[in-house]
């Protein structure tokens, strides 16, 4: 593996971790009242575009990062719609 790939995977971990506290807090508190549904929808659109970009470029780190962030974003959307 080249240094660029290692850097990509470090980016996957750090980028994905930014969403974990918010998802956890929403899950524990069952509250997402201050969270904008538009932010979640725009984020999902953004992640979808980057995922397609990663797939077409065969960039494994980008694909992994965007799948993780998409799952976390979908969880937030679910929480927003159900809490």
């Amino acid at each position: 593996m080249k240094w660029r790939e290692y850097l990509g995977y470090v980016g996957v971990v750090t980028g994905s971790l930014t969403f974990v506290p918010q998802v956890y807090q929403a899950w524990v508190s069952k509250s997402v009242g201050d969270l904008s549904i538009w932010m979640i929808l725009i984020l999902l659109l953004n992640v979808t575009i980057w995922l397609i970009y990663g797939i077409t470029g065969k960039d494994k780190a980008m694909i992994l990062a965007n799948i993780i962030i998409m799952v976390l974003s979908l969880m937030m959307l679910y929480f927003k719609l159900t809490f």
Side-chain angles (χ1 to χ4, degrees):
M1 215 185 279
K2 298 178 183 177
W3 73 270
R4 185 178 180 278
E5 291 178 74
Y6 285 119
L7 187 61
Y9 286 109
V10 170
V12 167
V13 170
T14 57
S16 300
L17 281 177
T18 62
F19 291 89
V20 172
Q22 185 67 50
V23 172
Y24 179 76
Q25 180 66 29
W27 181 48
V28 169
S29 69
K30 305 287 190 250
S31 174
V32 289
D34 292 338
L35 195 60
S36 167
I37 195 163
W38 289 107
M39 185 276 303
I40 299 169
L41 294 174
I42 292 167
L43 177 61
L44 283 168
L45 175 63
N46 177 266
V47 168
T48 301
I49 291 167
W50 279 113
L51 181 58
I52 293 167
Y53 180 83
I55 290 169
T56 60
K58 297 178 182 154
D59 187 329
K60 293 176 190 170
M62 184 172 288
I63 294 167
L64 180 60
N66 285 291
I67 288 172
I68 292 169
I69 295 170
M70 182 177 281
V71 168
L72 293 169
S73 299
L74 287 168
M75 289 174 70
M76 289 303 297
L77 181 60
Y78 172 76
F79 294 158
K80 183 67 177 175
L81 296 174
T82 58
F83 296 158

